[in-house]
């Protein structure tokens, strides 16, 4: 091996950084999830599955394990909200990306720029904006009261709906861009051909446009779903900490130094869910390629 | 004749979509000019909250820390990403090419909270105390793929002809890189650096978990303010951040998509 070879040392920094800051630390997280909770916070090395058992069972006064759905509910809610966010993003992105792709060339660049622009604006500011809108005495409440539609209303903040709004708003550009890229590649002649064969607009949308933009939709789904599973800001600020997701559950276990092994166990579970999702997606992509 | 490619309502839908995209940001900007101490009660137009924001010592400190971390992390991430992209796109017979590409993009494959927890435990195990150094290390790592992707795209879109011509004319590999490759891929490098910078400036999850006294970044500081309740000063700070992001984004886009023939 030639040490001057750029093929080796050109890649070396990337490998070293990723190995030291990602691969090794994630290995440590797995070990911590199997360790024993320390008496004064932190942890003591060991081999125990207590932290994983804690996700499903609660120890009662006699030391017996009783099934507890509390953490399973959080995992279920996280999967459900991330999935729903991905679906809503896809439903919004498809028509918007289609219209943008149809626009004249000069407009198209401007519209794509306008779609990406909010994404450059700080995430925390964008989430904060929804607090002003949904909160007590917020923009929506004031508008409805001004119109005389309601006299008094419950806060819209700190609900699943508020979190969902925040998540969709945060991640929609990540769905639009890949969908737009695949709609742009779509040959307009195929749409016209479908109409010539007496396909209505909706049949064309369902049978021609949708299948041909599926690669873009799937790419967008990965980009939206994965960060949604680990969302922290939205559940804390828009869910008010009342409605927990896996992201802020992990964060609280480490934030106050409360229970590191349990936090690590949840983090490993989250990592496992993401890996299963990515593997299923890769399998589906490969099957599609072999069919084509 | 009706255009069969048009869908009724799709344009109105898109117009409403753009309204929804921008309304929240506009609301924050509008509220920042409110004179009243209570953010939700409008009494009149005023710039006083901008003045108080610009004199807020803690805010300025947070901005300085964010800029320092983002500046160093961007330089490191862009250099590492550029080297990796050159090898992965231009190198012949690179061993473990596929695996290396996955390794470079690893931070994109996991939710950030998992990575944040991982570096937190690592730093506590090796006893690293310096808050700023912790942030720089973590930010450099997760910024690498964001710098890498635009650089790789630019390299892939460029024929190797010019580089081969330089080599034929006995230019050393370094001179070829310095005088031919780098000027040609400069827009990609710039876009990558810009993206890395914004991702670092914007980061909340990792910076919050690693936060210790003296290393509070701008988003972590704002998070603290939000938890205390909405104030007009917070709106003014947010508006200034929006303004900064828009200037950055526009510069990046203009420079990236400027006509390459004129450059």
């Amino acid at each position: 091996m030639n040490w001057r070879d750029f093929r080796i040392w050109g890649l070396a920094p990337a490998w070293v950084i990723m190995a030291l800051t990602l691969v090794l630390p994630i290995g440590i997280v797995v070990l911590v999830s199997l360790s024993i909770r320390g008496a004064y916070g932190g942890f003591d090395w060991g081999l125990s599955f207590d932290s994983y058992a804690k996700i499903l069972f609660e120890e009662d006064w006699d030391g017996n394990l009783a099934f507890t759905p509390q953490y399973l509910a959080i995992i279920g809610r996280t999967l459900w909200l991330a999935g729903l966010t991905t679906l809503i993003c896809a439903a919004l992105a498809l028509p918007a990306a289609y219209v943008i792709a149809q626009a004249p060339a000069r407009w198209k660049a401007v519209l794509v720029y306008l779609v990406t622009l909010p994404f450059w604006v700080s995430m925390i500011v964008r989430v904060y904006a929804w607090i002003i809108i949904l909160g007590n005495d917020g923009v929506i409440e004031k508008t409805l009261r001004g119109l005389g539609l309601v006299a008094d209303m419950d806060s819209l903040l700190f609900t699943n709906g508020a979190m969902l709004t925040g998540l969709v708003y945060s991640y929609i550009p990540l769905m639009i861009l890949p969908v737009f890229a695949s709609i742009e590649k779509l040959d307009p002649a195929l749409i016209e051909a479908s109409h010539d064969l007496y396909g209505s607009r909706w049949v064309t949308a369902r049978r021609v446009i949708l299948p041909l933009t599926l690669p873009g939709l799937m790419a967008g789904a990965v980009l939206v779903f994965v960060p949604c599973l680990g969302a922290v800001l939205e559940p804390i600020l828009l869910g008010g900490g009342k409605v927990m997701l896996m992201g802020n559950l992990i964060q609280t276990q480490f934030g106050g130094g409360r229970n590191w092994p349990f936090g690590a166990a949840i983090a490993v579970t989250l990592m496992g869910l993401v890996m299963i999702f990515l593997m299923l997606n890769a399998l589906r992509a490969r099957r599609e390629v072999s069919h084509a | 004749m009706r255009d069969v490619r048009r869908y009724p309502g799709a344009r109105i839908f898109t117009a409403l979509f753009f309204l929804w995209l921008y309304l929240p940001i506009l609301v924050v900007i509008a509220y920042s000019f409110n004179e009243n101490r209570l953010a939700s009660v409008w009494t009149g137009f005023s710039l006083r909250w901008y003045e108080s924001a610009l004199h807020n010592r803690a805010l300025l400190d947070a901005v300085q820390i964010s800029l320092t971390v983002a500046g160093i992390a961007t330089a490191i991430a862009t250099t590492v990403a550029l080297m990796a992209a050159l090898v992965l796109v231009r190198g012949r017979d690179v061993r473990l090419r596929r695996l290396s590409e996955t390794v470079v993009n690893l931070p994109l494959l996991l939710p950030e909270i998992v990575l944040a927890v991982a570096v937190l435990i690592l730093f506590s195990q090796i006893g690293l105390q310096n808050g700023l150094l912790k942030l720089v290390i973590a930010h450099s790592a997760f910024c690498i793929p964001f710098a890498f992707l635009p650089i790789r795209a630019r390299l892939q879109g460029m024929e190797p002809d010019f580089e081969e011509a330089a080599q034929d004319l006995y230019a050393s590999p370094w001179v070829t890189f310095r005088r031919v490759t780098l000027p040609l891929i400069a827009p990609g490098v710039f876009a990558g650096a810009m993206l890395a910078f914004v991702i670092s400036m914007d980061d909340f999850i990792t910076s919050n978990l690693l936060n210790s006294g003296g290393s509070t970044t701008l988003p972590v500081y704002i998070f603290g303010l939000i938890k205390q309740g909405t104030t007009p000063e917070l709106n003014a700070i947010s508006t200034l951040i929006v303004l900064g992001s828009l200037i950055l984004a526009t510069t990046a886009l203009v420079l990236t998509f400027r006509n390459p023939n004129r450059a």
Side-chain angles (χ1 to χ4, degrees):
Chain A
M1 196 203 304
N2 181 357
W3 68 272
R4 285 168 172 279
D5 194 344
F6 184 65
R7 281 176 301 179
I8 305 290
W9 66 261
L11 279 175
W15 272 90
V16 170
I17 290 181
M18 291 305 166
L20 290 182
T21 65
L22 250 109
V23 181
L24 171 75
I26 285 176
I28 300 178
V29 172
V30 175
L31 289 180
V32 170
S33 77
L34 295 171
S35 70
I36 299 148
R37 184 182 180 183
Y40 309 99
F43 60 92
D44 298 319
W45 295 113
L47 181 63
S48 106
F49 290 93
D50 288 356
S51 298
Y52 291 95
K54 194 175 184 295
I55 298 176
L56 293 174
F57 303 103
E58 201 170 28
E59 205 171 325
D60 62 18
W61 297 106
D62 308 329
N64 295 322
L65 293 178
F67 177 74
T68 169
Q70 139 189 40
Y71 296 115
L72 269 188
I74 293 175
I75 295 173
R77 186 188 300 130
T78 308
L79 284 170
W80 156 245
L81 268 179
L84 198 58
T85 303
T86 311
L87 279 180
I88 295 175
C89 281
L92 293 176
L94 200 55
Y98 187 80
V99 171
I100 295 173
Q102 301 269 301
R106 211 156 43 101
W107 271 96
K108 207 187 286 185
V110 175
L111 290 174
V112 170
Y113 170 71
L114 284 178
V115 164
T116 41
L117 205 52
F119 200 66
W120 289 75
V121 174
S122 174
M123 180 81 111
I124 193 150
V125 170
R126 284 182 293 149
V127 173
Y128 167 65
W130 284 100
I131 297 182
I132 303 183
I133 294 173
L134 299 172
N136 265 326
D137 229 12
V139 175
I140 291 186
E141 191 177 337
K142 272 197 189 154
T143 313
L144 291 179
R145 222 186 293 139
L147 294 170
L149 290 171
V150 291
D152 196 33
M153 62 188 284
D154 291 338
S155 175
L156 298 166
L157 217 52
F158 309 152
T159 58
N160 280 341
M163 279 198 286
L164 191 64
T165 311
L167 287 170
V168 171
Y169 188 72
S170 298
Y171 295 112
I172 185 87
L174 292 178
M175 179 66 87
I176 291 206
L177 294 180
V179 171
F180 171 76
S182 65
I183 288 187
E184 263 222 316
K185 275 190 239 147
L186 187 111
D187 187 352
L190 292 173
I191 298 174
E192 274 155 27
S194 161
H195 280 274
D196 291 344
L197 297 167
Y198 302 103
S200 71
R201 281 199 170 82
W202 300 111
V203 169
T204 309
R206 213 158 43 84
R207 307 282 292 271
V208 179
I209 300 175
L210 193 60
L212 288 172
T213 46
L214 206 58
L217 281 168
M218 291 315 291
V222 173
L223 292 177
V224 173
F225 189 72
V226 172
C228 271
L229 281 183
V232 173
L233 263 182
E234 292 84 357
I236 296 181
L237 292 179
L238 300 174
K242 271 201 292 184
V243 242
M244 281 264 183
L245 295 186
M246 288 175 90
N248 61 331
L249 178 62
I250 297 170
Q251 145 102 26
T252 26
Q253 300 307 320
F254 285 93
R258 292 238 303 248
N259 190 343
W260 282 30
F262 181 58
I266 302 279
V268 171
T269 310
L270 176 60
M271 205 158 57
L273 289 174
V274 169
M275 278 177 179
I276 293 172
F277 173 73
L278 290 177
M279 269 185 322
L280 287 178
N281 192 55
L283 277 179
R284 189 203 47 81
R286 193 180 304 164
R287 215 178 37 232
E288 228 152 67
V289 169
S290 65
H291 273 296
Chain B
M1 208 197 102
R2 294 183 318 160
D3 185 349
V4 291
R5 280 182 285 149
R6 285 239 172 90
Y7 280 79
R11 283 170 160 223
I12 295 169
F13 173 86
T14 307
L16 288 174
F17 171 76
F18 274 101
L19 190 67
W20 171 77
L21 212 51
Y22 281 90
L23 206 59
I25 296 171
L26 294 178
V27 165
V28 174
I29 296 176
Y31 271 52
S32 72
F33 297 113
N34 185 4
E35 185 235 339
N36 200 296
R37 181 170 293 279
L38 292 167
S40 58
V41 184
W42 181 272
T43 45
F45 180 89
S46 161
L47 290 174
R48 61 186 276 212
W49 301 111
Y50 285 91
E51 202 195 320
S52 88
L54 292 176
H55 286 101
N56 180 340
R57 194 67 244 165
L59 171 71
L60 297 179
D61 285 346
V63 170
Q64 199 192 344
I65 286 175
S66 272
L67 287 174
T68 311
V69 172
I72 302 174
T74 302
I76 296 175
T78 311
T79 312
V80 172
L82 175 61
M83 288 164 71
L86 283 171
V87 177
L88 290 173
V89 179
R90 285 290 188 261
R92 283 183 208 104
D93 310 320
V94 179
R95 259 170 294 169
L96 305 174
R97 191 194 298 265
R98 289 283 299 273
L99 183 64
S100 297
E101 211 147 307
T102 311
V103 164
V104 172
N105 287 315
L106 217 47
L108 295 180
L109 296 177
L110 288 169
E112 197 194 331
I113 182 74
V114 175
L115 306 178
V117 164
V119 287
L120 173 75
I121 298 180
L122 175 79
F123 292 151
S124 86
Q125 284 303 298
I126 60 175
L128 185 63
Q129 296 289 338
N130 189 322
L132 213 56
L133 186 61
K134 285 196 263 189
L135 287 179
V136 166
I137 295 173
H139 282 221
S140 303
F142 69 66
C143 284
I144 288 175
F146 293 98
F148 175 76
L149 293 174
I151 299 175
R152 187 185 64 176
R154 180 82 189 183
L155 268 172
Q156 280 173 338
M158 200 179 86
E159 295 294 325
D161 300 357
F162 291 112
E163 287 148 293
E164 278 160 16
Q167 303 265 325
D168 289 347
L169 296 166
Y170 300 104
S172 69
W174 170 251
V175 170
T176 311
F177 169 72
R178 199 43 214 90
R179 306 284 292 274
V180 181
T181 317
L182 192 58
L184 283 171
I185 61 168
V189 177
F190 184 79
M194 213 63 162
L195 204 54
F197 186 80
V198 169
I199 293 289
S200 168
M201 282 297 283
D202 193 22
D203 174 71
F204 170 76
I205 296 177
T206 306
S207 308
N208 184 47
L209 213 56
L210 294 179
N211 182 30
S212 55
S215 68
T216 305
T217 64
L218 185 57
V220 176
Y221 175 71
I222 293 174
F223 177 75
L225 288 185
I226 296 175
K227 294 219 92 174
Q228 290 167 27
T230 60
T231 62
E233 187 181 326
L234 180 52
N235 294 334
I237 295 171
S238 302
T239 305
L240 291 174
I241 293 176
V242 169
L243 202 68
S245 330
L246 295 193
I247 293 172
L248 215 62
T250 311
T251 325
L253 281 165
V254 167
L255 287 174
T256 311
F257 294 113
R258 203 171 45 178
N259 189 347
N261 300 326
R262 265 190 299 163

